[in-house]
Amino acid sequence: MTAQRPFRFGVVLISEGCSRSEWVDKCRRAEDLGYDVILAPDHLNLTSPFPSVVLAAEATQRPRVGTYVLNAAFHNSALLARDIATLDQFVDGRLEVGLGTGYVEWEHTRAGLPFGRPGDRVDRLAETVTRLDQLLTDPDHPKPAQSPRPPLLVGGHGDRVLRLAARQAEIVSFVGAQFEARHGRMVVATAEQMRERVEFVRRAAGPRLDQLEFNLLSKATIITDHPASAAEQLRRFGPDLTDEQLLDIPVVGVGTPRQIAEKLHHTREVYGISYTTVNESWMDAFGQVINVL
């Protein structure tokens, strides 16, 4: 059994229609609430993640900064390695790099890029991770501030992506959801399914396990004195789950800030997940939980 890691908390800030001053205010608000990592997403309808990350670092003092997550299909690996090295230098070694397959078809179409099958997208992600490892440690390539390179986060739910994360990343992000054709959308994993996914990663990591940090992408934080009454608000995440199952899934927090904090302790104990990331819409609510912890 590996030693428990300290808690860390990240927030993905959304920059759609965001001015410089608005972005700075968001970043400073996140720092004031106690977040450890401020993250920018990578979508065509938002500002570019790279200048967003630099500005986040300039606006704050304590948090690390990074991406959640870069779409591997959008970036040439050699140019991406150059940008990551430059970015890490400009943020004084505070960078964490999140990478993913990309999942929005219209963005690929608009960018003139093939969307392909899920397997094709995983192939591109795997190639990007391997090339970044090579380039960022190449003596003839621009050097990041961190050695040998900034930590990589790779997130997903399926076997291939989680195996890639276990073997080549420093942070494994469990998205805790999978596409179900009969619902035509993503559906959350139950507590039992999440436990199986964590065990899969532990086996795949082998001797690397002690080097890995486990991250969870939280879907909702609902502050209430009556958790059972909030189950219907979660129904869209798991249409076939019982109320008890919905309240038990690791990717949501429901209850008083102290109750949610206790659930995070349980999640760390059972799953080894110590790093939780929330979306901006839940930033203030989850900030109350951070305050308790």
Side-chain angles (χ1 to χ4, degrees):
M1 182 72 177
T2 57
Q4 288 187 345
R5 286 178 174 265
F7 285 118
R8 290 206 305 153
F9 306 108
V11 59
V12 182
L13 297 182
I14 304 302
S15 58
E16 187 171 13
C18 202
S19 68
R20 183 187 192 281
S21 62
E22 288 169 338
W23 182 252
V24 166
D25 287 345
K26 288 183 182 189
C27 293
R28 290 177 177 165
R29 173 66 176 162
E31 181 173 30
D32 289 343
L33 287 169
Y35 285 92
D36 301 291
V37 192
I38 296 172
L39 300 154
D42 187 15
H43 292 288
L44 291 187
N45 61 316
L46 306 178
T47 57
S48 169
F50 302 117
S52 299
V53 168
V54 171
L55 185 54
E58 289 183 356
T60 59
Q61 297 295 320
R62 180 185 53 81
R64 292 178 67 79
V65 293
T67 57
Y68 196 102
V69 289
L70 296 176
N71 181 341
F74 286 176
H75 305 279
N76 173 283
S77 296
L79 300 180
L80 179 59
R82 179 198 63 181
D83 289 345
I84 289 172
T86 304
L87 192 57
D88 196 41
Q89 288 287 352
F90 285 1
V91 303
D92 295 324
R94 292 161 62 187
L95 181 65
E96 296 181 7
V97 180
L99 294 165
T101 60
Y103 61 92
V104 183
E105 184 171 4
W106 73 260
E107 292 185 327
H108 292 74
T109 302
R110 186 169 296 179
L113 298 168
F115 187 57
R117 298 169 301 174
D120 299 328
R121 298 195 294 279
V122 176
D123 288 342
R124 286 197 296 266
L125 174 62
E127 180 183 4
T128 299
V129 170
T130 298
R131 288 288 290 147
L132 287 179
D133 257 338
Q134 295 168 345
L135 291 164
L136 290 171
T137 57
D138 184 340
D140 296 323
H141 193 275
K143 299 292 183 296
Q146 299 175 82
S147 179
R149 56 158 174 71
L152 294 183
L153 174 151
V154 173
H157 186 77
D159 286 0
R160 287 189 64 200
V161 173
L162 289 180
R163 187 181 297 114
L164 172 68
R167 294 178 178 176
Q168 293 184 252
E170 284 69 48
I171 305 168
V172 180
S173 183
F174 296 92
V175 299
Q178 58 192 345
F179 183 81
E180 288 200 6
R182 61 199 178 99
H183 294 299
R185 57 185 172 84
M186 300 292 283
V187 173
V188 293
T190 64
E192 292 76 17
Q193 289 168 333
M194 279 294 299
R195 188 175 288 111
E196 185 278 327
R197 292 288 75 194
V198 168
E199 289 305 317
F200 176 87
V201 168
R202 286 175 170 154
R203 292 193 302 271
R208 294 191 78 237
L209 180 59
D210 287 347
Q211 304 170 36
L212 297 179
E213 182 177 30
F214 287 178
N215 169 269
L216 184 69
L217 179 61
S218 177
K219 304 293 186 289
T221 303
I222 301 174
I223 305 297
T224 176
D225 292 327
H226 305 286
S229 67
E232 278 310 307
Q233 296 181 58
L234 305 174
R235 181 64 52 200
R236 67 186 186 279
F237 296 124
D240 298 327
L241 302 185
T242 66
D243 289 359
E244 184 178 1
Q245 286 177 312
L246 283 169
L247 294 172
D248 191 40
I249 56 178
V251 295
V252 302
V254 181
T256 65
R258 186 160 299 280
Q259 287 172 328
I260 298 173
E262 289 171 356
K263 184 175 182 178
L264 289 174
H265 277 285
H266 175 76
T267 299
R268 185 173 65 175
E269 178 70 28
V270 172
Y271 304 93
I273 296 171
S274 56
Y275 178 10
T276 300
T277 298
V278 301
N279 285 312
E280 182 184 333
S281 56
W282 305 107
M283 177 170 71
D284 288 289
F286 195 81
Q288 297 180 51
V289 181
I290 296 174
N291 186 56
V292 169
L293 288 164

